[in-house]
Amino acid sequence: MPKTTPRPVAPVDVTVSSPREPDAGARLPRLPYVPWVAAALLGSAGVVLLGWAVVGAIVGVAWLTAPHLGPTTVLDTISQAWLGVHGGAFTLGALNLNLTPLGLSALLGVAMAAVARFTVNQTEEDGRGSLSQVVLVATVCSGSFAVASWLVASLVGAPRQAVSVFVGALLIGGLGSTVGALRAARVDVFQRLPRWTRTLPAGVAGGVAGLTVASAATLALGYGAHAAQVAALHGGVAPDGVGSALLFAAYAAYLPNLLLWAGAYASGAGLTVGTGTLLTPTVSQLGLVPAIPIAGLLPAAPPVAGGAFWAVAPLAGVATALLSCRRAGGLGLAPHPRPWALASGASGLIAAALWAAASWISRGDLGTGRLVGLGPRFPELIAALLPLAVTAALTGAIAAWWASRRPVVAEPPPFGLPAEDFERAADDEREHEGEQEHEGERKREGERKRDAERKPEGGAGRAAGRPFGLS
């Protein structure tokens, strides 16, 4: 009869990676399609062509209503309108214009953001990128876009127009490329800054959104109060189907300008629509205005409750503080009045500065006669936006004081366990997760070192197979 022999049972340790630890084996390596420098140069040139295509489509539709115009005149109109999209003064027929259609400029900025994001993805770095990578990609993208725009402007416009186009293209490309590169590289720009600075994006977004909502509401109220005037001016123009489409395209191109002008009116600073005109919630002085349907929104008399518009900037400050404080609570920042007021006030100040800068860019001229200096008034707008930052800081301090007064209710431990045992188990779990994360980081560092050692072996082959030997 066989005898059973006892065998020692060896302990088995099964380790499961933390859900927060990425699985290096499951992630496929990202292979670039083209060298990143080529992606930046070709993408920037494509955005220049995109601007030409959009302007050409609008002018081409207008050509259908005036087929007697020659191709040379149409091409010159497209060239001049394209110069205007980049912030340069341009001429349409006998009219000299210096009013940038910010809607089309924003479209080019979004396209440059897409180019920068694609360029970052063409690098051989996997995972999170670095701040130097973002700066390099944004510099190459914006610089190539500005140079390409300047070259085209030098061929179709005057030297002064070419300089204006270069500056405008550098601004459009710089903003769009920086945003796109940051989103693609997933760089934490607040890593070395105080923790409260992480609340700035949410607070600034709240302030700008509050001003935008107030501007849109002002335009809607203006249309509701002056719908008859707008209809009368539209009937005077009497556009056909093509003309109506052109009016809609013009309104869409200048929609950001209209929102910024309405925001200046709502904040109490007011705006001017040519020489001898002044429009504020309490004053209405109308002079000679262009006979276009949108001009019917201009009030001949101030509204009855015009003083209520002075609450727009403080209400935007309240929205800034609420979003900033909500973000601070999500980050686990202690509700102390001083840091929360500092974060909210800084967010309001940045939001006001961004709105004022955009309002300054939205100004311009229609001709060289009476319709000059159109847009928000300065420095009145700066003074009108200061209450936004002040109100945001005060609201942040009040929110911190209120949050600190609320009692902290400790959640009971689950499954009826004693509180001491539950806390000890939670500490052990956090310690175990920390060890796993440290081990995973050590493995990834070893993989990066091995990849770096293998790169010199195949570097020459990769460089020979790519233009200029660029990666």
Side-chain angles (χ1 to χ4, degrees):
M1 181 175 178
K3 297 182 179 180
T4 59
T5 303
R7 297 181 180 180
V9 179
V12 179
D13 186 12
V14 179
T15 303
V16 181
S17 61
S18 173
R20 291 177 293 180
E21 181 180 349
D23 188 1
R27 185 178 65 243
L28 296 177
R30 183 176 61 228
L31 298 177
Y33 297 102
V34 293
W36 71 269
V37 175
L41 297 177
L42 295 177
S44 301
V47 176
V48 175
L49 294 178
L50 174 65
W52 272 91
V54 173
V55 175
I58 298 175
V59 177
V61 172
W63 194 12
L64 298 177
T65 62
H68 60 279
L69 297 177
T72 305
T73 303
V74 175
L75 290 177
D76 182 68
T77 303
I78 295 175
S79 302
Q80 291 295 317
W82 178 84
L83 294 173
V85 172
H86 297 78
F90 58 103
T91 303
L92 294 181
L95 183 62
N96 297 321
L97 303 174
N98 189 17
L99 191 63
T100 305
L102 294 182
L104 297 180
S105 302
L107 176 63
L108 299 184
V110 173
M112 285 303 301
V115 169
R117 187 163 188 167
F118 178 78
T119 302
V120 170
N121 291 332
Q122 302 315 299
T123 60
E124 292 184 350
E125 297 184 13
D126 292 331
R128 289 183 179 271
S130 60
L131 187 59
S132 59
Q133 178 191 17
V134 171
V135 173
L136 182 60
V137 170
T139 301
V140 174
C141 290
S142 59
S144 57
F145 177 67
V147 171
S149 301
W150 174 75
L151 290 175
V152 176
S154 301
L155 296 176
V156 300
R160 188 172 182 178
Q161 289 178 311
V163 173
S164 299
V165 167
F166 178 81
V167 175
L170 195 62
L171 179 61
I172 296 172
L175 292 176
S177 300
T178 302
V179 173
L182 284 174
R183 290 181 60 86
R186 296 180 296 171
V187 175
D188 186 7
V189 296
F190 303 100
Q191 183 177 4
R192 298 184 179 181
L193 297 177
R195 195 176 181 186
W196 64 266
T197 57
R198 296 181 180 273
T199 66
L200 293 178
V204 172
V208 174
L211 292 175
T212 304
V213 170
S215 302
T218 302
L219 285 177
L221 291 174
Y223 181 79
H226 306 92
Q229 299 179 16
V230 175
L233 289 174
H234 186 81
V237 176
D240 54 4
V242 177
S244 299
L246 290 176
L247 278 177
F248 178 80
Y251 293 156
Y254 283 98
L255 180 59
N257 302 64
L258 296 176
L259 287 174
L260 292 168
W261 292 11
Y265 180 88
S267 64
L271 68 150
T272 58
V273 193
T275 305
T277 63
L278 176 60
L279 297 174
T280 69
T282 57
V283 178
S284 291
Q285 296 178 0
L286 282 180
L288 181 64
V289 296
I292 54 178
I294 196 66
L297 298 178
L298 302 178
V304 177
F309 283 98
W310 293 98
V312 167
L315 288 177
V318 172
T320 300
L322 291 179
L323 290 182
S324 178
C325 294
R326 181 181 180 183
R327 177 59 176 161
L331 292 172
L333 297 178
H336 295 301
R338 185 174 180 178
W340 282 31
L342 178 61
S344 301
S347 300
L349 194 61
I350 296 174
L354 292 176
W355 191 272
S359 299
W360 176 266
I361 297 174
S362 70
R363 293 170 52 86
D365 307 323
L366 291 178
T368 57
R370 295 176 57 87
L371 298 178
V372 295
L374 281 70
R377 295 198 303 162
F378 280 88
E380 290 82 359
L381 181 61
I382 298 177
L385 291 177
L386 286 179
L388 190 154
V390 176
T391 307
L394 293 176
T395 307
I398 295 173
W401 172 79
W402 181 261
S404 63
R405 287 175 57 88
R406 291 185 302 177
V408 179
V409 180
E411 296 183 359
F415 310 114
L417 296 176
E420 295 79 5
D421 296 345
F422 178 73
E423 292 177 359
R424 189 181 303 109
D427 293 339
D428 294 341
E429 179 66 20
R430 284 192 292 266
E431 183 179 356
H432 182 62
E433 290 181 357
E435 293 177 356
Q436 289 181 342
E437 291 180 1
H438 180 70
E439 181 67 20
E441 181 64 27
R442 193 167 59 84
K443 291 181 180 179
R444 290 192 294 271
E445 183 65 25
E447 292 177 359
R448 284 195 291 266
K449 289 183 180 180
R450 288 193 295 271
D451 293 341
E453 293 175 356
R454 288 196 298 265
K455 276 186 178 180
E457 301 177 2
R462 288 197 302 268
R466 294 182 180 177
F468 313 108
L470 298 173
S471 60

